[in-house]
Amino acid sequence: GAVVSQHPSRVICKSGTSVKIECRSLDFQATTMFWYRQFPKKSLMLMATSNEGSKATYEQGVEKDKFLINHASLTLSTLTVTSAHPEDSSFYICSALNGSSQETQYFGPGTRLLVL
Amino acid sequence: KQEVTQIPAALSVPEGENLVLNCSFTDSAIYNLQWFRQDPGKGLTSLLLIQSSQREQTSGRLNASLDKSSGRSTLYIAASQPGDSATYLCAQFSGGYNKLIFGAGTRLAVHP
């Protein structure tokens, strides 16, 4: 089956620093990737849709200058949390649409971010 | 605004019971609906995808139904096992860009 990886799986950083999270589709090309955020015992909240070679589409209320998304290739999308603050601490999950099966999103294992 | 609601929020049952998890959605023009499993601190595993033209899907001990007219989907788990303990999420496709709108999930605990 299609595999999506995320790196790092867990990161702890100081307030004010920037953190980059990578999302890779390992065995398929993904023209579209999605970034979600999940708070403890809450559902996934879609942050943005990332399309290869174009600007990401952000959901209402998500700061695009705060959460920078780059989808430079068909297998890699990155989310950079800039000037991170404790309230940015969360579980970030990406998913990728398999180009040959547009209905199915394959999810990464998630990245736990803790900002001190 | 599209909303997906899951009931109950949490469920604890003894091993062997048959379970029904409920999901309701507000968008009657539903495209597809998908059920996922999430283990603590982990990503999502797709369980069943029901297309809008279908009424149900089955995989092993799992059966998911879709009733567009009432805006509901149910996930039926037969003969529950401790290994089924996880959070179960339903998500509605928001057409067009394949965006998924998630419910808050049902946390299931199956004890021996």
Side-chain angles (χ1 to χ4, degrees):
Chain A
V3 178
V4 175
S5 69
Q6 280 185 242
H7 178 79
S9 59
R10 183 184 297 264
V11 57
I12 301 174
C13 68
K14 294 182 179 180
S15 184
T17 61
S18 293
V19 176
K20 179 185 286 188
I21 303 171
E22 293 185 348
C23 177
R24 292 182 185 273
S25 57
L26 299 184
D27 51 2
F28 65 97
Q29 293 185 330
T31 55
T32 303
M33 291 183 172
F34 300 90
W35 286 97
Y36 297 86
R37 181 174 181 176
Q38 186 178 34
F39 293 100
K41 297 184 179 182
K42 299 293 184 182
S43 186
L44 278 73
M45 180 191 75
L46 179 64
M47 300 175 65
T49 302
S50 170
N51 294 297
E52 187 266 337
S54 64
K55 291 183 178 180
T57 302
Y58 290 81
E59 295 300 302
Q60 189 173 13
V62 178
E63 301 176 61
K64 59 181 65 177
D65 294 331
K66 173 74 172 176
F67 300 99
L68 300 179
I69 292 173
N70 184 279
H71 193 156
S73 77
L74 288 173
T75 59
L76 174 64
S77 176
T78 60
L79 168 68
T80 301
V81 183
T82 62
S83 186
H85 292 284
E87 58 266 29
D88 298 325
S89 299
S90 192
F91 192 55
Y92 293 88
I93 304 178
C94 72
S95 70
L97 273 178
N98 187 333
S100 65
S101 177
Q102 286 293 313
E103 296 178 336
T104 303
Q105 290 186 31
Y106 296 93
F107 284 80
T111 296
R112 176 77 58 191
L113 171 64
L114 176 61
V115 184
L116 302 177
Chain B
K1 179 184 176 182
Q2 289 175 291
E3 289 187 357
V4 177
T5 304
Q6 290 188 247
I7 296 173
L11 187 62
S12 180
V13 299
E15 181 177 7
E17 278 203 6
N18 299 324
L19 310 171
V20 176
L21 307 182
N22 297 293
C23 173
S24 61
F25 43 89
T26 57
D27 186 1
S28 60
I30 187 173
Y31 183 43
N32 294 341
L33 188 134
Q34 194 163 2
W35 283 91
F36 295 88
R37 168 182 173 144
Q38 185 178 31
D39 292 288
K42 303 294 184 182
L44 275 65
T45 300
S46 177
L47 297 174
L48 291 164
L49 169 67
I50 310 175
Q51 297 183 348
S52 61
S53 60
Q54 299 174 324
R55 292 189 64 85
E56 67 177 340
Q57 280 286 334
T58 299
S59 176
R61 294 183 293 109
L62 304 179
N63 175 276
S65 66
L66 175 62
D67 185 343
K68 292 168 58 178
S69 61
S70 65
R72 293 180 182 178
S73 176
T74 60
L75 179 66
Y76 177 82
I77 303 176
S80 59
Q81 302 171 357
D84 294 330
S85 299
T87 295
Y88 291 82
L89 298 163
C90 72
Q92 177 184 4
F93 277 77
S94 174
Y97 301 100
N98 291 301
K99 290 164 49 175
L100 287 172
I101 310 298
F102 282 87
T106 293
R107 294 187 303 281
L108 173 64
V110 181
H111 48 87

